[in-house]
Amino acid sequence: MSTCTADSRNLGEPLSGTAPTASTWLLLEQPGPWGADALVSSHLDPAVGRALEAAARGTGVRVALIRRPGRHSDPGAPSLRRVYAAHTVPGRIWLRSAVTDDPSRLLDIDFAALGRGDHHGFDTALRGRPHTGDPLALVCTNGKRDRCCALLGRPLAAELTASGANGVWEVTHLGGHRFSPTVLVLPYGYAYGRAEAHTVKEVLHGVREGRIVLEGCRGGSAWERPGQAAELAVRAATGEYAAEALRVVRTQGRAPRWEVTVEHSDGRHWNVVVAQGASLPPRPESCGASVLGSPARMDVVALRERAPALAG
């Protein structure tokens, strides 16, 4: 039986420019089963889940639930839950962690400030501290949203954990079911699709050294989709893998065509033209879709390094 993942792979749908978008990720541990909209359909108090969704709206913060890989029959409410916050914009990258026995404490955070990269509200509300462990690998496994996430994501999370990889969590939703298994790696916030264990291990090794791996990369979550595609194109063209070397500093235009300016920390700039196309032929965008769709794709059609300004 065909799946959305198999169709996407067989049709060669590109991964670049498909990452979820968030300047800051806020992750709350919630064991047990998850529904399709996990913040309000898990064993988290749905009133808290709705309030977190409302607080994050329009702030650049994306809230998700996480749990350790393994069986998910409900063991009862944990006395302490792990909480992470990560800001993914180069120049202000950070990853903080905390524990709490009361998820409603997350509502004391200033979400607007958190989205801008200010972690003081997180630290005050939850006694947050810098995360000193391994980078986080968040594997989407929510089969209630799409069966591919469970069929492909859960075995990947289990394999990574069994191999001794630390920092592996299951996560509720990363978007792009058809690219399963999908993985988000923090603190830098790059997402990966069609992931295999050996690739994720290489990605995690690179993160420890401050490097980005391009194989299977969907883009950096700090940028909107045209910026994701432009930044990856500059990396591919220049061989620049340092995680914080590049920034998307300007995106002009609107669908279906943008001109994106990518800046290097050494002062170099590139103008990148990105065009939105449709992935053809039509295919199911998720296994639960009742109609076929033509997912938008981001195609880089021009890339030019800008000449340096002459000194006056």
Side-chain angles (χ1 to χ4, degrees):
M1 182 167 54
S2 180
T3 63
C4 65
T5 298
D7 289 339
S8 175
R9 184 189 295 270
N10 291 339
L11 292 170
E13 184 178 355
L15 292 169
S16 176
T18 67
T21 300
S23 59
T24 304
W25 291 83
L26 181 61
L27 309 168
L28 170 64
E29 183 180 2
Q30 176 57 59
W34 295 335
D37 187 359
L39 281 175
V40 295
S41 55
S42 67
H43 290 176
L44 177 68
D45 182 345
V48 173
R50 282 191 292 271
L52 287 171
E53 286 182 332
R57 194 170 297 123
T59 66
V61 177
R62 183 157 174 161
V63 184
L65 302 182
I66 56 174
R67 64 190 177 194
R68 289 296 188 185
R71 296 179 60 85
H72 301 301
S73 56
D74 186 18
S79 56
L80 289 176
R81 303 166 190 249
R82 179 66 60 180
V83 186
Y84 295 101
H87 189 64
T88 63
V89 178
R92 298 195 68 183
I93 300 279
W94 48 256
L95 175 59
R96 316 284 290 185
S97 67
V99 294
T100 185
D101 59 2
D102 180 6
S104 68
R105 294 291 299 276
L106 275 67
L107 296 170
D108 295 333
I109 298 170
D110 182 338
F111 277 71
L114 194 67
R116 294 192 300 269
D118 182 350
H119 56 72
H120 292 95
F122 176 87
D123 295 347
T124 299
L126 299 168
R127 297 183 180 178
R129 296 289 185 272
H131 174 66
T132 57
D134 289 324
L136 305 185
L138 310 175
V139 183
C140 186
T141 63
N142 191 352
K144 294 295 185 180
R145 293 193 70 97
D146 191 282
R147 61 178 177 168
C148 286
C149 296
L151 292 174
L152 301 173
R154 287 181 184 170
L156 174 63
E159 181 180 356
L160 288 168
T161 300
S163 71
N166 295 315
V168 178
W169 294 84
E170 297 186 8
V171 68
T172 46
H173 182 48
L174 295 178
H177 319 297
R178 62 194 183 278
F179 304 125
S180 295
T182 60
V183 181
L184 178 77
V185 178
L186 296 173
Y188 297 123
Y190 284 80
Y192 292 82
R194 303 177 188 140
E196 299 181 3
H198 69 89
T199 304
V200 177
K201 291 177 185 177
E202 182 182 351
V203 170
L204 293 173
H205 179 72
V207 169
R208 295 184 192 100
E209 297 181 342
R211 293 186 294 106
I212 300 302
V213 171
L214 295 189
E215 180 183 355
C217 191
R218 300 173 60 193
S221 67
W223 319 123
E224 298 293 335
R225 292 187 63 184
Q228 294 172 10
E231 191 239 18
L232 290 182
V234 172
R235 287 190 180 279
T238 63
E240 178 56 80
Y241 304 118
E244 296 192 69
L246 299 178
R247 290 174 55 91
V248 174
V249 295
R250 184 177 298 105
T251 301
Q252 296 176 301
R254 61 182 64 184
R257 192 177 180 88
W258 299 265
E259 183 169 314
V260 181
T261 302
V262 179
E263 179 184 68
H264 195 285
S265 56
D266 66 10
R268 287 179 291 163
H269 290 76
W270 291 264
N271 291 336
V272 186
V273 179
V274 180
Q276 178 177 301
S279 295
L280 297 174
R283 79 290 304 274
E285 295 189 50
S286 70
C287 288
S290 58
V291 296
L292 300 182
S294 299
R297 54 184 286 169
M298 297 289 124
D299 294 317
V300 172
V301 297
L303 188 156
R304 177 176 58 86
E305 184 172 356
R306 184 190 301 173
L310 297 176

